[in-house]
């Protein structure tokens, strides 16, 4: 009797808390569709027929009818900027155009920033995010003169929807010490009026950091609120794992782990270290991707080391081997973008050092020349220090050529495609930036499949909204807005 009761108690303890039943897609090719899923705590303990799963239940098990909806496994976000997405929504003026926002004219943009300035008279800084010059009626970037209409006494800084350009008003330029004589920084361009030589306020590539460096760092309270808002956004879209770039290793303890303990961070998070020196890289707690940083909870893990070699196609900062189809007034007719490292030898040396020390390296590269620079650096690193299963990755990889997909396959390099560009920017990539041939061959998923190149897709949130279903739809249909 004692043995029987002991066995019964054990079986009861192993019973599921919930059983979900209805339309369920497992994503397991050999068992793709099932009727029910049994869950105990934070683990799935069984999938199968309704009768099989009901056989695991006890009187306390909750039965959840999906009522015609379809259950999928949670999505994993392979490239996003979680904290800045959350704090940006809370602290910045939304300047995005349709279909993501409402801004279509310069007057609307200025009015929205003015409204924020008037509603926060004591704020030391006015910031905005997400404007797109090619979807404003004026078809140009805002300038310092436009932003001076918002304020001449407080700095105003706004960021392009790509994240690769920033614009400041006269006060911001004054505080940053930017004048007609200020030289371009490494991997950046300070746009200057061709008539007067004065800075227009537009900062391209790494020059944007001159203005972004003026923006006050969020307080811990603001950061925790940002993590909570971002967790809400990611989970609402069905994502259980997010990613974030981290420039300062101290933020792992001071912000992310603090958010986990306070309950403000409630999705799993993969941290991508992002610095430009080995000294800073070695401040991070681990080298190996996948290392758990939360004492067995696996809620925060360290991922690959993130580098940037070029910028954004729609921001004219991605680096190509052939000129942009439409040249801007300040261009020489052969403008191809530029690398974010003026010294490519230093870039290759940094990749080699990271590879030698055991890092997985992931490199932001959009234009085909940027992609080539990234692949050449990885190839040189592998030649100097051969390493199996390094899992280096090209991020965005939007304009990868067929020969570059061959090189990825040979180097065992993966790609993470920013597939939403086919929808959000496809028309402009075709008609403005790159012409029919290059535009229709961006994000070459089929080519990657044909060559056995592993790939993921992503939304780069907050650049575009986090949406797994949209990524799948765009991957299959490649239809523009």
């Amino acid at each position: 009797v004692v043995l029987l009761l002991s066995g019964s108690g054990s079986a009861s303890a192993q019973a599921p808390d919930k059983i979900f039943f209805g339309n369920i897609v497992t994503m397991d090719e050999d068992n793709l569709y099932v009727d029910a899923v049994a869950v105990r705590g934070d683990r799935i303990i069984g999938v199968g027929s309704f009768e099989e799963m009901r056989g695991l239940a006890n009187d306390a098990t909750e039965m959840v009818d999906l009522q015609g909806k379809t259950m999928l496994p949670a999505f994993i976000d392979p490239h996003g900027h979680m904290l800045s997405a959350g704090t940006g929504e809370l602290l910045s003026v939304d300047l995005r155009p349709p279909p993501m926002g409402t801004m279509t004219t310069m007057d609307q943009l200025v009015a929205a920033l003015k409204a924020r300035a008037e509603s926060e008279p004591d704020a030391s800084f006015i910031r905005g995010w997400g404007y797109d010059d090619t979807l404003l009626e004026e078809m140009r970037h805002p300038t310092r003169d436009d932003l001076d209409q918002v304020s001449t006494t407080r700095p105003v800084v706004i960021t392009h929807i790509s994240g690769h350009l920033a614009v400041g008003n006269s006060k911001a330029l004054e505080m940053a010490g930017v004048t007609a004589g200020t030289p371009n920084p490494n991997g950046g361009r300070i746009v200057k009026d061709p008539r007067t030589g004065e800075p227009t306020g537009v900062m391209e590539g790494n020059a944007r950091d001159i203005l972004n460096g003026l923006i006050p760092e969020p307080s811990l309270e603001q950061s925790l609120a940002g993590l909570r808002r971002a967790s809400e956004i990611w989970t609402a879209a069905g994502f259980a794992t997010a990613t974030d770039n981290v420039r300062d290793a101290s933020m792992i303890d001071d912000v992310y782990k603090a958010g986990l303990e306070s309950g403000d961070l409630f999705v799993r998070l993969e941290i991508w270290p992002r610095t430009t020196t080995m000294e800073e890289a070695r401040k991070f707690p681990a080298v190996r991707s996948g290392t758990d940083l939360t004492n067995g909870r696996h809620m925060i893990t360290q991922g690959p080391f993130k580098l940037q070699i070029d910028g954004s196609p729609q921001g004219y900062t991605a680096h190509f081997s052939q000129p942009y189809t439409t040249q801007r007034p300040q261009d020489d007719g052969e403008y191809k973008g530029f690398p974010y490292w003026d010294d490519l030898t230093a870039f290759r040396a940094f990749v080699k050092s990271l590879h030698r020390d055991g890092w997985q390296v992931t490199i932001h590269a959009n234009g085909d020349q940027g992609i080539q620079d990234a692949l050449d650096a990885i190839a040189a690193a592998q030649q100097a220090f051969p390493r199996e299963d390094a899992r280096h990755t090209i991020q965005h990889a939007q304009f990868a050529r067929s020969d570059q997909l061959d090189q990825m396959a040979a180097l065992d390099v993966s790609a993470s495609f920013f597939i939403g560009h086919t929808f959000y920017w496809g028309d402009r990539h075709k008609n403005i930036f790159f012409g029919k041939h290059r535009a229709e061959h961006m994000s070459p998923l089929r080519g990657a499949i044909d060559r056995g190149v592993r790939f993921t897709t992503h939304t780069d949130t907050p650049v575009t909204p986090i949406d797994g279903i949209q990524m799948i739809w765009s991957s299959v249909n490649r239809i523009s807005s």
Side-chain angles (χ1 to χ4, degrees):
V1 172
V2 170
L3 287 173
L4 184 62
L5 290 174
S6 174
S8 174
S10 175
S12 178
Q14 298 302 308
D17 301 326
K18 294 181 180 181
I19 293 175
F20 297 87
F21 61 96
N23 303 320
I24 297 166
V25 182
T26 67
M27 301 306 293
D28 175 0
E29 251 184 304
D30 297 327
N31 191 29
L32 190 56
Y33 303 104
V34 297
D35 301 321
V37 172
V39 176
R40 183 174 62 250
D42 61 357
R43 290 290 183 270
I44 292 171
I45 62 170
V47 294
S49 70
F50 178 75
E51 292 301 324
E52 288 171 331
M53 294 304 102
R54 190 168 63 175
L56 303 176
N58 62 15
D59 292 343
T61 300
E62 180 183 356
M63 306 298 291
V64 182
D65 186 347
L66 296 177
Q67 298 182 344
K69 295 181 180 179
T70 298
M71 175 180 279
L72 299 168
F75 292 116
I76 296 170
D77 175 18
H79 183 135
H81 303 268
M82 186 189 183
L83 179 58
S84 62
T87 56
E89 184 170 302
L90 298 175
L91 301 175
S92 294
V93 180
D94 186 351
L95 303 176
R96 293 176 299 172
M100 292 178 268
T102 62
M103 298 292 159
T104 58
T105 69
M106 197 69 69
D107 285 346
Q108 289 175 339
L109 182 150
V110 170
L113 291 166
K114 271 186 178 179
R116 174 63 63 90
E118 291 167 1
S119 69
E120 298 181 359
D122 297 327
S124 62
F125 210 97
I126 307 301
R127 67 195 79 175
W129 187 87
Y131 83 89
D132 189 333
D133 54 305
T134 62
L135 286 181
L136 291 173
E137 284 184 8
E138 292 81 359
M139 287 291 289
R140 64 173 178 84
H141 293 281
T143 65
R144 65 191 297 173
D145 295 330
D146 296 310
L147 299 187
D148 283 349
Q149 298 177 50
V150 179
S151 177
T152 56
T153 59
R154 289 186 282 175
V156 180
V157 173
I158 64 174
T159 305
H160 190 261
I161 193 165
S162 67
H164 286 268
L165 298 96
V167 188
N169 68 343
S170 295
K171 186 64 176 179
L173 295 176
E174 175 193 328
M175 291 174 63
V178 177
T179 67
T182 304
N184 289 326
N186 179 27
R189 303 288 186 272
I190 299 171
V191 179
K192 295 176 181 178
D193 188 303
R195 294 174 294 102
T196 66
E198 291 296 321
T200 65
V202 179
M203 313 287 258
E204 299 179 342
N206 290 339
R208 72 196 188 280
D209 293 337
I210 297 173
L211 292 178
N212 290 339
L214 299 173
I215 301 174
E217 287 293 327
S219 65
L220 177 59
E221 182 181 15
Q222 290 171 329
S223 293
L224 295 180
L227 284 177
R228 173 165 288 277
R229 181 65 193 122
S231 294
E232 292 168 350
I233 293 169
W234 262 252
T235 53
F239 285 79
T241 303
T243 57
D244 212 350
N245 291 196
V246 179
R247 298 178 186 271
D248 184 347
S250 65
M251 286 186 64
I252 295 174
D253 287 331
D254 296 347
V255 175
Y256 296 101
K257 288 185 180 179
L260 186 61
E261 295 308 313
S262 66
D264 292 299
L265 173 64
F266 49 87
V267 297
R268 293 181 180 87
L269 182 64
E270 185 178 81
I271 295 294
W272 292 8
R274 183 176 175 180
T275 69
T276 54
T277 68
M278 290 304 297
E279 180 184 8
E280 290 298 315
R282 291 183 178 122
K283 292 180 181 179
F284 284 84
V287 169
R288 184 173 176 80
S289 288
T291 300
D292 176 30
L293 305 181
T294 52
N295 298 318
R297 296 172 67 185
H298 296 280
M299 287 299 293
I300 301 175
T301 56
Q302 188 158 295
F305 196 99
K306 170 78 176 293
L307 296 171
Q308 270 190 326
I309 190 56
D310 74 347
S312 155
Q314 67 271 28
Y316 278 87
T317 55
H319 194 198
F320 289 86
S321 62
Q322 300 299 316
Y324 283 78
T325 298
T326 301
Q327 298 279 298
R328 302 164 300 175
Q330 69 266 35
D331 296 332
D332 60 5
E334 292 294 320
Y335 178 77
K336 303 173 184 177
F338 55 88
Y340 275 27
W341 290 64
D342 289 346
D343 185 349
L344 288 176
T345 301
F347 171 73
R348 287 190 289 268
F350 191 35
V351 172
K352 188 182 296 184
S353 296
L354 291 165
H355 172 82
R356 176 201 63 207
D357 286 3
W359 287 93
Q360 179 191 13
V361 178
T362 188
I363 303 173
H364 167 123
N366 267 309
D368 69 314
Q369 187 58 56
I371 293 167
Q372 195 61 56
D373 290 338
L375 290 173
D376 289 348
I378 292 170
Q382 281 284 25
Q383 184 174 15
F385 304 101
R387 196 174 113 208
E388 292 186 2
D389 200 28
R391 303 196 184 197
H392 299 320
T393 307
I394 306 298
Q395 290 296 324
H396 306 323
Q398 287 188 79
F399 291 89
R401 305 186 307 257
S402 295
D403 64 298
Q404 292 174 329
L405 293 175
D406 292 335
Q407 192 175 0
M408 288 182 200
L411 289 168
D412 197 24
V413 167
S414 299
S416 187
F417 293 107
F418 191 169
I419 191 62
H421 266 246
T422 55
F423 178 72
Y424 291 107
W425 285 279
D427 295 318
R428 283 166 289 156
H429 283 339
K430 178 181 176 182
N431 298 324
I432 300 174
F433 304 121
F434 307 112
K436 177 180 173 67
H437 178 77
R438 280 191 286 181
E440 290 185 352
H441 285 82
M442 67 177 171
S443 296
L445 272 58
R446 180 74 248 176
I449 291 170
D450 290 343
R451 292 163 176 81
V453 173
R454 291 185 302 268
F455 69 85
T456 57
T457 63
H458 62 261
T459 58
D460 202 9
T461 307
V463 178
T464 63
I466 186 77
D467 189 339
I469 299 297
Q470 189 270 332
M471 286 192 286
I472 295 168
W473 182 87
S474 285
S475 297
V476 174
N477 294 307
R478 298 177 63 86
I479 294 171
S480 69
S481 60

